[in-house]
Amino acid sequence: MKTLLTSVLALALAATPVAAAAPPYNTEAPIAYMQDLSSGAVLYSKNADHRMPPASMAKMMTTHIAFRLIQRGELKLDQKFVVRPETWKQWHGPQAGSTMFLSPGEEVSVENLLHGIVTLSGNDACVVLAEGIAGTEQAFVALMNEEAKRLGMSNSHFGNSNGWPDEGITYTTAKDLTRLARATVEETPDLYKQFYGTREFTWGKTMGGAAITQGNRNPLLGRVEGADGLKTGHTEEAGYGFTGSAEQNGRRLIMVVAGLDSFSGRIAESVRFMDWGFRAWKAQPLFKKGQEVEKAPVQLGSESEVGLVAPKNLAVTLPRGASANMTVKLVYDGPIKAPIKKGDKIAQLVVSTPDTAPQVMPLVAANDVEEAGIFGRLWNGFMSLFG
């Protein structure tokens, strides 16, 4: 790994140091974690690597798998799956927990099943979707674990599609849930917006024939500005947990609390925690989306260097009242080998401040760089002898 100290950037961003320690926060939640996606800064961490049962927060992975399949064109929102009588028998009634109130033999679209999972937390909806996608729930669970590996969720394992207690087979951590939430927000943003902010959804009928409308259990919706996701969870073993996200003025925070002992306590702590994240910290802009930060040398390419640009607006997160006293480094494997595609993530901006852990932000290629032909390689080799 080649590391370049970009002293020009560091000098331009440095300011007179001001004492401003990380803002304190105390929580009754046994597990708590918060990250600012604009900078990658971890704002708070308590037992974030402790393995825990996710309860219904596991449904975030089921939803994420479906979103990615839809995005790739391998699954359609209007595609319909049939509720198998065996599945209905297992996942209806009070003993089956949260339900979408599906009926045996019913044909339900992927779109409605996703609302049933995200808004209603339906255990039945999860299994019907999993079986429809992969044939069996266990085959779908294999997809969940493959995706967890891709995302670097090294402390997570899934044993079912809905987070139902399974004697410890299914487990995760607050840090891994944050990775999963971030992937959903950033990799499938349109589908995230379409489904996660829905306040209520109607499906199924009572014994008297009346339509059943259920509200979203997300404790931030209607209580925190910009709140739009993600998922609650509760079992006797896990307690009350929540993975949440909100965006204000371009700053998106993701938070996890887990192990709380009451429904009302989860609401109060989730709102207080997210409010603290926005009030006690500020974003210091660094580079605008598309702005070139630096150039990097290219090996065996049609061009000798490639511009490194910000893929989105980049900012460093600082305690309110702190000055922008920081050091900025550019890190990449270099020289970077061609071919390179525009938008490829090929470098990282690492920002260090006195009061936070290093904040790491991706930089992408500004343009395509093709692989050099034989004469280009010879010329590059010749020129390398002189410099």
Side-chain angles (χ1 to χ4, degrees), residues 102-263:
L102 296 171
S103 299
E106 184 178 17
E107 284 192 346
V108 190
S109 69
V110 169
E111 181 175 6
N112 286 326
L113 287 170
L114 283 169
H115 281 302
I117 296 168
V118 174
T119 307
L120 310 183
S121 197
N123 291 320
D124 51 355
C126 272
V127 179
V128 171
L129 183 65
E131 291 176 342
I133 289 173
T136 67
E137 185 181 16
Q138 284 309 304
F140 185 83
V141 167
L143 298 179
M144 297 172 74
N145 287 314
E146 288 175 11
E147 181 64 6
K149 184 177 180 180
R150 183 186 78 88
L151 295 177
M153 297 172 63
S154 57
N155 255 332
S156 296
H157 184 266
F158 296 93
N160 56 62
S161 64
N162 55 24
W164 193 256
D166 56 7
E167 299 183 346
I169 295 172
T170 299
Y171 59 83
T172 189
T173 67
K175 193 175 290 184
D176 278 0
L177 285 173
T178 301
R179 287 191 179 98
L180 173 57
R182 179 170 192 165
T184 298
V185 169
E186 294 185 342
E187 295 179 3
T188 56
D190 293 339
L191 290 164
Y192 173 77
K193 291 177 182 177
Q194 180 177 347
F195 287 95
Y196 269 104
T198 302
R199 299 293 184 94
E200 63 181 21
F201 187 65
T202 301
W203 194 268
K205 295 184 182 298
T206 66
M207 295 295 290
I212 301 172
T213 298
Q214 299 181 72
N216 193 323
R217 297 178 179 88
N218 184 334
L220 301 183
L221 293 178
R223 296 183 177 94
V224 173
E225 179 188 349
D228 54 12
L230 293 149
K231 191 72 193 71
T232 57
H234 170 250
T235 62
E236 288 298 321
E237 178 187 17
Y240 290 84
F242 175 59
T243 301
S245 186
E247 185 175 28
Q248 294 181 12
N249 300 318
R251 282 183 70 205
R252 178 172 289 281
L253 305 184
I254 291 177
M255 54 151 285
V256 177
V257 290
L260 291 158
D261 59 8
S262 71
F263 181 87

Side-chain angles (χ1 to χ4, degrees), residues 36-60:
D36 188 329
L37 295 198
S38 63
S39 63
V42 174
L43 308 188
Y44 188 86
S45 182
K46 178 182 179 182
N47 296 324
D49 290 310
H50 178 74
R51 287 183 178 180
M52 62 179 182
S56 286
M57 291 185 287
K59 293 167 184 166
M60 290 164 51

Side-chain angles (χ1 to χ4, degrees), residues 301-331:
S302 56
E303 298 180 34
S304 61
E305 59 184 13
V306 63
L308 304 175
V309 302
K312 60 181 181 179
N313 292 337
L314 299 181
V316 62
T317 305
L318 301 168
R320 290 202 180 274
S323 67
N325 180 43
M326 65 190 78
T327 302
V328 182
K329 292 182 181 179
L330 186 65
V331 182

Side-chain angles (χ1 to χ4, degrees), residues 241-293:
F242 175 59
T243 301
S245 186
E247 185 175 28
Q248 294 181 12
N249 300 318
R251 282 183 70 205
R252 178 172 289 281
L253 305 184
I254 291 177
M255 54 151 285
V256 177
V257 290
L260 291 158
D261 59 8
S262 71
F263 181 87
S264 60
R266 178 173 64 190
I267 294 175
E269 184 54 29
S270 297
V271 172
R272 191 171 74 94
F273 194 27
M274 188 63 84
D275 279 342
W276 172 82
F278 283 115
R279 288 187 295 102
W281 299 84
K282 67 177 182 179
Q284 174 68 40
L286 293 178
F287 300 99
K288 293 183 179 180
K289 180 179 179 180
Q291 184 177 350
E292 184 173 287
V293 177

